[in-house]
Amino acid sequence: MAFSTLLVTLLTVSGVLGQNGWGVTYTPERICALKGSSVDMRCTYSYPTWHKVQKAFWFIRWSPPQEPEDLSLDPEYSGRVEYRENLNRDCTFRIKQLRETDAKTYYFRFLTDHADGKYSGQPGVSLTVTALQVRVNPGSVTEGQSVTLT
């Protein structure tokens, strides 16, 4: 009887491990933000418990077989990128002082202490950056007249 219970338990654990335990979840996958503002790109990640993360970073360009460049080292993002401390497998990061040229897809990648322990999450976070647009109604006004801004 004890053997049957043990066998069922092993099959259950095996089912979880069959997914390899690797993953990155982006929430949300699409963000629209205002030029000049800051944006947080939220994500969480998972990996097999016998691995230890050595490096975790975000990137925008990748030409395998080379490793992608850590976004925080890119001169275009210098001083504008902040990584959240790696607590509870949280990979959220912030870009400050957004520029319209920041409109790209961003990906999270982490490397572990195992030779095969590399993972990049798909589909990434698609960021759109827009300038503030104001519509005045009526189109022309005189002093003292009411105006609606949209």
Side-chain angles (χ1 to χ4, degrees):
M1 189 70 164
F3 179 72
S4 299
T5 304
L6 180 60
L7 182 59
V8 170
T9 303
L10 288 175
L11 289 174
T12 302
V13 171
S14 178
V16 172
L17 295 177
Q19 299 170 9
N20 298 324
W22 299 91
V24 174
T25 304
Y26 302 100
T27 312
E29 293 177 4
R30 295 179 179 273
I31 298 175
C32 182
L34 184 62
K35 179 181 173 183
S37 69
S38 295
V39 66
D40 287 343
M41 296 192 195
R42 300 184 190 285
C43 82
T44 56
Y45 64 106
S46 59
Y47 53 91
T49 56
W50 58 87
H51 287 251
K52 182 178 178 185
V53 173
Q54 300 293 317
K55 184 174 182 178
F57 59 96
W58 286 75
F59 68 95
I60 51 174
R61 294 179 287 273
W62 187 11
S63 300
Q66 300 292 335
E67 277 296 317
E69 181 182 16
D70 181 337
L71 196 61
S72 68
L73 303 176
D74 186 324
E76 291 180 37
Y77 292 87
S78 180
R80 300 190 304 124
V81 171
E82 294 176 357
Y83 290 153
R84 179 176 285 183
E85 287 186 39
N86 190 9
L87 303 173
N88 300 318
R89 300 180 183 208
D90 182 349
C91 46
T92 299
F93 92 111
R94 173 176 292 162
I95 303 177
K96 302 182 292 186
Q97 302 163 359
L98 282 173
R99 305 169 182 164
E100 290 183 39
T101 56
D102 293 336
K104 296 177 176 68
T105 300
Y106 295 80
Y107 305 92
F108 177 72
R109 181 164 178 80
F110 61 98
L111 314 174
T112 73
D113 55 348
H114 290 247
D116 62 343
K118 300 175 181 181
Y119 191 86
S120 296
Q122 297 292 333
V125 178
S126 175
L127 175 64
T128 303
V129 179
T130 185
L132 181 62
Q133 299 173 7
V134 179
R135 186 172 44 197
V136 180
N137 191 13
S140 64
V141 294
T142 57
E143 187 175 341
Q145 186 178 6
S146 293
V147 176
T148 302
L149 301 177
T150 306

